[in-house]
Amino acid sequence: MKLLLSGRALTAAAVAVATLVTGGSAAGAASAPAHPAAAAAPDISLTNVKAHLAQLQSIATANGGNRAHGRAGYQASLDYVKAKLDAAGFTTRVQRFTASGRTGYNLIADWPGGDANQIVMAGSHLDSVTSGPGINDNGSGSSAVLETALAVARSGYQPGKHLRFAWWGAEELGLVGSRAYVNSLGSAERAKISGYLNFDMIGSPNPGYFVYDDDPTIERTFKDYFAGLGIATEIETEGDGRSDHAPFKNAGVPVGGLFSGADYRKTSAQAAKWGGTVGQPFDRCYHSSCDTTANIDDTALDHNSDAVAYAVWELSR
């Protein structure tokens, strides 16, 4: 999640959207077994999600301790996610843009089939800040979205709506990558997106369970999931307008998402609902070098990863 403008001066980002470079193949998906759209969402493996986080940590460690825009660690992160999706049968595209004098990249992955005039998107930013590996912010969201996409492929899911997944670059510089993507779409293409779901920090070590209150249908979908687990939720306010749903919302696309908290401090009322430590930040390592694989609450990551899949399945029927 990007810092508030008052937190630091943002480098001016001149965005120049270039050609969408296509890779991957839908061949594997074409032979996948048919499953009815009414099938229940699968349980997302926490083990698999954490394996993706371990890979992102290794990438950061091997590349100066971060996965930031324009750095080798970001490129290696994108290559890792893209290879997984290509092997699973997604059609992937890499979108180039420029920000702060460096080339940035978005990764877009489409699952074959579904109504192309009704697109459900799920996305997360893949970049970290330069000061740390960005495992909660935002390896957590990126890994949960990746594992949900891979679960779509493994199950051979055939939704009524078209499914698209995205990993954004340069979010930490001011939502640059997601804004570049939205700006690259004509009005007719934007109108086809029936919902964009955003996942930015979902494994905070002193977690809360926050749901975006933008689109009522999407909000209710997430609340219903957590109600089924007996987990109380709150409306997300800390990150409002600070993550990649904002460009979609500003363009008139229905948006929603999940958040487990950043540098706000947990109140006694919140600790009574969710456990954890009163008076401490939801993520004490927010935008710091200690945002490593040790900076994750497994229970929050597990619940939120399952919620990603639940919403993708429910909203794409």
Side-chain angles (χ1 to χ4, degrees):
M1 177 174 291
K2 77 178 183 70
L3 286 170
L4 289 172
L5 290 177
S6 59
R8 70 176 176 194
L10 293 176
T11 305
V15 179
V17 180
T19 306
L20 291 176
V21 181
T22 303
S25 169
S31 60
H35 283 246
D43 179 74
I44 297 300
S45 166
L46 176 64
T47 298
N48 290 354
V49 175
K50 292 189 70 176
H52 300 316
L53 290 179
Q55 288 296 318
L56 295 178
Q57 176 70 68
S58 295
I59 287 168
T61 301
N63 290 280
N66 70 74
R67 303 179 300 99
H69 163 73
R71 309 296 180 93
Y74 181 79
Q75 183 66 62
S77 299
L78 185 143
D79 290 345
Y80 170 77
V81 175
K82 186 177 186 300
K84 292 287 187 182
L85 296 163
D86 288 342
F90 283 83
T91 299
T92 60
R93 299 174 286 160
V94 176
Q95 182 185 37
R96 293 189 179 95
F97 57 87
T98 58
S100 302
R102 296 173 182 262
T103 302
Y105 305 95
N106 295 324
L107 175 62
I108 314 297
D110 285 272
W111 181 240
D115 184 352
N117 291 313
Q118 298 186 79
I119 301 170
V120 173
M121 287 190 72
S124 57
H125 76 86
L126 187 57
D127 63 315
S128 74
V129 291
T130 57
S131 57
I135 297 304
N136 188 38
D137 185 17
N138 183 39
S140 60
S142 293
S143 296
V145 172
L146 172 59
E147 191 57 30
T148 296
L150 297 178
V152 167
R154 282 192 295 267
S155 68
Y157 182 44
Q158 295 183 345
K161 297 177 183 177
H162 182 74
L163 283 178
R164 180 173 296 162
F165 298 88
W167 291 262
W168 309 116
E171 187 269 358
E172 298 290 3
L173 296 183
L175 320 181
V176 181
S178 55
R179 185 175 294 113
Y181 175 78
V182 172
N183 288 346
S184 75
L185 302 176
S187 58
E189 289 302 309
R190 293 177 191 173
K192 293 177 182 178
I193 304 175
S194 60
Y196 170 71
L197 314 177
N198 195 60
F199 305 99
D200 186 354
M201 301 179 65
I202 59 171
S204 302
N206 190 27
Y209 291 88
F210 299 99
V211 175
Y212 297 12
D213 66 340
D214 296 289
D215 179 75
T217 299
I218 298 174
E219 178 187 358
R220 175 49 54 194
T221 299
F222 285 122
K223 285 184 172 180
D224 285 348
Y225 170 77
F226 285 107
L229 297 180
I231 296 175
T233 59
E234 290 186 10
I235 297 303
E236 197 283 302
T237 58
E238 181 180 0
D240 197 20
R242 293 170 58 187
S243 193
D244 293 298
H245 60 292
F248 288 88
K249 182 179 178 179
N250 293 341
V253 175
V255 301
L258 299 176
F259 179 54
S260 57
D263 52 358
Y264 282 20
R265 294 179 182 271
K266 180 172 282 186
T267 67
S268 57
Q270 290 169 331
K273 285 190 292 190
W274 301 322
T277 306
V278 177
Q280 292 298 311
F282 293 102
D283 183 355
R284 64 179 181 81
C285 291
Y286 177 60
H287 283 188
S288 300
S289 60
C290 59
D291 187 11
T292 66
T293 49
N295 190 48
I296 291 289
D297 182 87
D298 284 359
T299 300
L301 183 64
D302 191 18
H303 288 327
N304 282 316
S305 296
D306 287 339
V308 174
Y310 179 83
V312 165
W313 257 254
E314 288 297 309
L315 295 168
S316 65
R317 294 187 185 280

